[in-house]
């Protein structure tokens, strides 16, 4: 019958669209739910006129704890199950680096959770800045506090015998002075051995990677706060001023191309998980609150982009530099409903 035909056309269309959600400023603010986000996930998980799952993944520049822990936390806040198989945070693609570097300095995050993240990614020997402070307290003269807990969770050793192969900034620095100092020491060292100085700072310099480049991040505070991008800019300026050369570095996360390619792979296998069809849906919608990361990256990658007003973006109309191709919406529910109306 016609009614049946119509519904099978719509079902096919529903499997040929997908959403990539930014998290902070779209679905939550820190630990606080953005209420429309809860409804959106109900709709996409099957509470829709077709009663089917509409594929969606989460693509966040967030960082700082293992994927499983973050997904459990988000599932709780959003009242919907979020699987690690549909989840990419800024440092997720950096797991591929474990094949190349044995000993790494992992910077950022709280309570040593990034050490755990690196362990889960398969890095063999993980050093965090506090391990170095515990071994050499004079390394950071500007450090004010070294708490008993920090000391207890640090592993001091003789760092004159350790070759650090790469620096991985996974998350926001909790101590700019100490982290910048230790990173500068390593970047100027001979082959990543603390306490040494390379004759030519550009030769044999160990590589440095950042998990994302956002300057600002929406939080519980009324005005967006500085994020990992500002830490990187500070380091770049210091490095240039002291050595006279530009710092070469690699940045992951949105809007970097590698992250969107990785997202395609995750979307394809998630399609297989929920619909038994291992392929990429044609019409992908990115929903984000940051024109300089979510929107510019989605536009470059050929996705439909939706800018919402619940996070970083507060301007009038569409963003001037990086306009969202599918439009600006008051919140994530309006964006999703408009996309569903167009496609189904
Ligand atoms: O900028 C840091 C991070 O919290 C942003 O997360 O989900 O907006 O990409 P998200
Ligand atoms: Mg955001």
């Amino acid at each position: 019958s016609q009614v049946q035909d119509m519904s099978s056309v719509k079902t096919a269309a529903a499997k040929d669209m997908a959403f990539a959600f930014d998290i902070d400023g779209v679905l939550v603010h820190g630990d606080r739910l953005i209420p429309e986000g809860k409804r959106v996930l109900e709709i996409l998980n099957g509470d829709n006129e077709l009663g089917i799952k509409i594929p969606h993944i989460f693509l966040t520049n967030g960082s700082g704890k293992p994927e499983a822990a973050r997904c459990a936390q988000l599932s709780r806040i959003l009242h919907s199950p979020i699987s690690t198989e549909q989840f990419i945070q800024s440092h997720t693609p950096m797991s591929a680096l474990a094949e190349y570097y044995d000993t790494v300095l992992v910077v950022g995050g709280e309570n040593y959770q990034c050490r755990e993240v690196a362990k889960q990614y398969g890095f063999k020997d993980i050093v965090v800045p506090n391990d170095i402070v515990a071994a050499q307290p004079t390394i950071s003269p500007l450090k004010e506090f070294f708490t008993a807990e920090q000391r207890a969770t640090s592993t001091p050793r003789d760092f004159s015998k350790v070759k650090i192969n790469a620096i991985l900034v996974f998350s926001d620095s909790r101590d700019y002075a100490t982290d910048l100092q230790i990173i500068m020491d390593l970047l100027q060292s001979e082959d990543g051995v603390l306490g040494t100085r390379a004759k030519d700072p550009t030769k044999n310099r160990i590589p440095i990677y950042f998990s994302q480049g956002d300057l600002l991040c929406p939080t519980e505070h009324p005005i967006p706060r500085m994020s990992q991008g500002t830490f990187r800019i500070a380091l770049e300026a210091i490095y240039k001023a002291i050595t006279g050369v530009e710092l070469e570095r690699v940045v992951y996360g949105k809007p970097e191309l590698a992250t969107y390619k990785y997202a395609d792979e995750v979307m394809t296998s998630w399609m297989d998980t929920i619909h038994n069809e291992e392929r990429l849906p044609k019409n992908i919608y990115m929903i984000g609150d940051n024109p300089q990361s979510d929107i510019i990256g989605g536009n470059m990658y050929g996705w439909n982009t939706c800018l919402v007003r619940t996070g970083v973006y507060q301007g009038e109309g569409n963003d001037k530099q990086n306009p969202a191709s599918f439009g600006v919406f008051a919140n994530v529910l309006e964006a999703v409903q408009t996309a569903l109306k167009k496609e189904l």
Side-chain angles (χ1 to χ4, degrees):
S1 75
Q2 262 190 347
V3 174
Q4 253 175 348
D5 286 352
M6 199 51 206
S7 117
S8 63
V9 168
K10 282 194 174 194
T11 301
K15 289 183 185 173
D16 227 356
M17 74 181 305
F19 292 93
F21 290 107
D22 174 79
I23 290 179
D24 282 311
V26 171
L27 299 170
V28 300
H29 279 138
D31 276 341
R32 184 158 50 81
L33 172 72
I34 296 176
E36 290 83 5
K38 177 169 174 275
R39 181 65 197 133
V40 158
L41 295 192
E42 287 165 1
I43 294 171
L44 300 184
N45 283 328
D47 187 12
N48 53 61
E49 52 164 328
L50 300 167
I52 74 163
K53 286 190 188 323
I54 296 167
H56 57 281
I57 63 165
F58 301 88
L59 184 57
T60 175
N61 272 357
S63 60
K65 53 176 78 163
E67 279 71 10
R70 182 71 175 136
C71 285
Q73 178 195 21
L74 286 168
S75 303
R76 248 188 339 266
I77 300 174
L78 286 155
H79 299 268
S80 270
I82 292 173
S83 162
T84 52
E85 282 178 68
Q86 62 184 144
F87 181 76
I88 304 159
Q89 52 186 346
S90 62
H91 42 63
T92 307
M94 294 170 81
S95 58
L97 298 174
E99 208 184 303
Y100 302 99
Y101 306 115
D102 283 342
T103 303
V104 290
L105 177 77
V106 171
V107 179
E110 56 188 29
N111 296 333
Y112 294 93
Q113 299 212 66
C114 284
R115 198 203 290 271
E116 179 56 29
V117 172
K119 210 186 276 172
Q120 293 188 7
Y121 290 171
F123 289 98
K124 289 183 198 73
D125 185 17
I126 301 149
V127 178
V128 300
N130 279 342
D131 297 338
I132 298 170
V133 173
Q136 303 180 25
T138 55
I139 199 164
S140 179
L142 303 184
K143 189 174 184 68
E144 286 223 15
F145 304 104
F146 196 44
T147 64
E149 193 206 342
Q150 287 173 331
R151 193 176 298 278
T153 48
S154 303
T155 315
R157 58 207 244 211
D158 181 358
F159 282 102
S160 71
K161 297 196 168 67
V162 179
K163 258 191 191 180
I164 291 176
N165 307 129
I167 302 165
L168 311 178
V169 182
F170 268 8
S171 195
D172 293 307
S173 167
R174 268 39 182 193
D175 181 350
Y176 271 42
T178 301
D179 292 347
L180 289 169
Q181 178 68 68
I182 289 174
I183 292 172
M184 280 301 296
D185 284 337
L186 281 174
L187 290 172
Q188 296 172 93
S189 70
E190 189 80 51
D191 280 335
V193 179
L194 276 171
T196 66
R197 271 279 184 272
K199 279 188 205 76
D200 177 349
T202 60
K203 284 222 178 80
N204 297 335
R205 190 182 48 218
I206 64 169
I208 179 162
Y209 297 85
F210 295 86
S211 77
Q212 56 110 335
D214 289 351
L215 298 179
L216 296 175
C217 174
T219 68
E220 282 96 342
H221 194 75
I223 301 169
R225 303 288 83 193
M226 295 193 296
S227 187
Q228 211 193 104
T230 56
F231 179 77
R232 190 197 73 235
I233 286 170
L235 177 68
E236 287 168 351
I238 295 165
Y239 185 84
K240 177 79 197 275
I242 289 183
T243 67
V245 293
E246 299 287 338
L247 178 63
E248 276 170 42
R249 77 290 186 284
V250 177
V251 182
Y252 282 75
K254 297 170 290 184
E256 302 299 322
L257 181 66
T259 291
Y260 291 79
K261 287 190 171 159
Y262 192 89
D264 271 355
E265 285 171 33
V266 169
M267 193 91 81
T268 304
S269 71
W270 184 243
M271 266 296 280
D272 192 29
T273 303
I274 63 168
H275 289 313
N276 242 320
E277 295 177 31
E278 198 180 343
R279 64 178 179 83
L280 195 61
K282 262 209 297 292
N283 305 303
I284 298 179
Y285 288 81
M286 169 88 223
I287 304 189
D289 65 303
N290 189 344
Q292 287 176 37
S293 114
D294 312 312
I295 304 304
I296 187 177
N299 286 347
M300 284 189 302
Y301 207 57
W303 288 356
N304 303 296
T305 50
C306 311
L307 180 59
V308 294
R309 292 185 175 283
T310 46
V312 165
Y313 184 69
Q314 311 275 334
E316 291 284 311
N318 211 329
D319 186 59
K320 301 285 173 296
Q321 275 89 46
N322 303 293
S325 62
F326 194 64
V328 184
F329 300 89
N331 56 59
V332 63
L333 183 58
E334 275 194 19
V336 166
Q337 282 170 333
T338 310
L340 293 176
K341 208 173 283 168
K342 167 146 193 262
E343 300 295 336
L344 306 183

